[in-house]
Amino acid sequence: MAWLDERTDPRVDFGWLSTFTYDGSRIPLMDRQRGIRKPAGMDAALAIRTTFTPPNQLPPYNDEIGADGLQRYKYRGTDPDHPENVALRRAMEQRLPLIWFVGVASGLYEPIYPVYVIGEEQAELQFALAVDEGQRFITPGTPMDDTTRRYVERITRARLHQRVFRMQVLLAYTDRCAVCRLKHPTLLDAAHIIGDAEEGEPVVPNGMSMCKIHHAAFDQNFLGVSPDLTVAINRDLMEEVDGPMLKHGLQEMHGIRLHVPTSRAQRPDPERLAARYETFLAG
């Protein structure tokens, strides 16, 4: 994990992950064919993998948050004693940290770590995961009040779902702000068209890559995007007089065309944009 921390590109591929060495031995961190990685000579799993989901489809893990707010990871097959399932069980028993490689594009992965297996549900053919250190102290399946459950689920979505969503959106927009073309990934967010509170799905057509100022303006309805991909600035804001950020960063964006992905499947969904644009106009 310390080796992963030192990478220069947040996205990784199998070729690069295969260059990891420890104590003079090469140990690929991900298995090209299997979802659960247990290198030879190890007793327990080292990593798990989820393959890439096309931009307009919900990822398989999206519906696998339990009633306790914890993430689930499905067995390999249906046999609890399959060697890969046994490897994950041993990681649970030994309380070992795992790396979760989640596909964000064909052949590219976002590493999520550390992740812990904290429970097993054989009837459902799955394990319960903690994607945050604080979640390790929860007993999967135990009753909890609504406030605690919402908090646990919010952590799960932030650490996994929203992080992967951001990476997929930024890849689709080639690491550029859709409004101003700023090309500094650390200054970019994935803006939801339909937000989480309105049951917005974490899929690329429900997102746009925006720098932090334009994302904030979009969320506060100072900036809108029409279904024909035209940027609009709030009328009151257009009449204000302030410094260069207001003039050049917002007012001059009024009427421009949004920068969108070349792939139609990754472009903003017109129906979602229309619904959100109505909110902007009402604001």
Side-chain angles (χ1 to χ4, degrees):
M1 295 179 186
W3 184 74
L4 286 171
D5 286 340
E6 296 174 357
R7 70 191 188 277
T8 56
D9 191 331
R11 309 123 182 170
V12 298
D13 59 21
F14 178 79
W16 184 76
L17 292 170
S18 298
T19 67
F20 177 73
T21 58
Y22 178 75
D23 199 22
S25 299
R26 188 175 67 87
I27 306 176
L29 298 184
M30 186 173 71
D31 195 302
R32 189 187 290 275
Q33 302 296 330
R34 299 177 178 86
I36 300 170
R37 171 67 172 151
K38 186 190 79 66
M42 289 189 178
D43 292 329
L46 173 67
I48 55 179
R49 177 173 63 95
T50 297
T51 57
F52 168 64
T53 302
N56 56 352
Q57 297 180 20
L58 281 173
Y61 52 78
N62 192 64
D63 294 326
E64 293 176 6
I65 295 181
D68 50 16
L70 295 171
Q71 185 68 43
R72 267 53 180 186
Y73 188 84
K74 290 295 184 182
Y75 277 0
R76 165 68 186 273
T78 59
D79 181 6
D81 293 323
H82 187 285
E84 292 179 36
N85 298 327
V86 171
L88 267 187
R89 188 175 301 121
R90 287 176 177 163
M92 174 183 68
E93 294 166 350
Q94 299 175 36
R95 300 183 180 181
L96 298 173
L98 299 168
I99 306 163
W100 191 350
F101 294 107
V102 184
V104 293
S106 180
L108 290 179
Y109 297 84
E110 168 84 355
I112 310 291
Y113 58 91
V115 174
Y116 295 86
V117 183
I118 59 171
E120 182 177 4
E121 297 161 338
Q122 288 197 5
E124 290 78 23
L125 307 176
Q126 63 191 14
F127 293 96
L129 304 180
V131 297
D132 176 84
E133 288 287 343
Q135 292 183 343
R136 296 177 63 189
F137 304 100
I138 298 172
T139 301
T142 56
M144 59 180 66
D145 60 79
D146 287 343
T147 300
T148 302
R149 195 266 179 201
R150 286 196 297 269
Y151 174 75
V152 173
E153 181 172 346
R154 187 163 63 247
I155 294 296
T156 299
R157 293 192 182 280
R159 285 275 294 151
L160 175 64
H161 300 226
Q162 299 309 325
R163 185 168 160 182
V164 172
F165 172 67
R166 175 184 180 273
M167 189 60 66
Q168 290 180 320
V169 170
L170 264 59
L171 277 169
Y173 285 78
T174 62
D175 291 332
R176 290 182 185 272
C177 173
V179 179
C180 67
R181 315 301 199 268
L182 180 70
K183 191 174 175 64
H184 284 275
T186 55
L187 299 178
L188 301 178
D189 295 331
H192 285 79
I193 299 173
I194 305 299
D196 279 340
E198 293 79 36
E199 302 298 325
E201 296 175 332
V203 295
V204 173
N206 188 41
M208 296 177 289
S209 174
M210 289 186 176
C211 67
K212 295 186 181 297
I213 184 67
H214 290 133
H215 185 190
F218 182 70
D219 283 351
Q220 297 301 316
N221 289 320
F222 290 123
L223 181 152
V225 179
S226 68
D228 68 355
L229 304 177
T230 301
V231 175
I233 301 299
N234 177 281
R235 183 180 303 170
D236 293 338
L237 206 64
M238 290 293 294
E239 296 175 355
E240 287 186 20
V241 177
D242 200 352
M245 176 54 73
L246 175 63
K247 180 180 179 180
H248 303 297
L250 291 170
Q251 291 172 339
E252 290 183 1
M253 298 298 105
H254 184 72
I256 70 165
R257 287 276 296 175
L258 203 71
H259 166 74
V260 296
T262 55
S263 167
R264 290 187 177 275
Q266 295 178 320
R267 294 177 184 175
D269 174 47
E271 291 186 7
R272 290 184 173 104
L273 281 178
R276 180 61 186 266
Y277 195 62
E278 288 297 321
T279 301
F280 166 76
L281 294 176

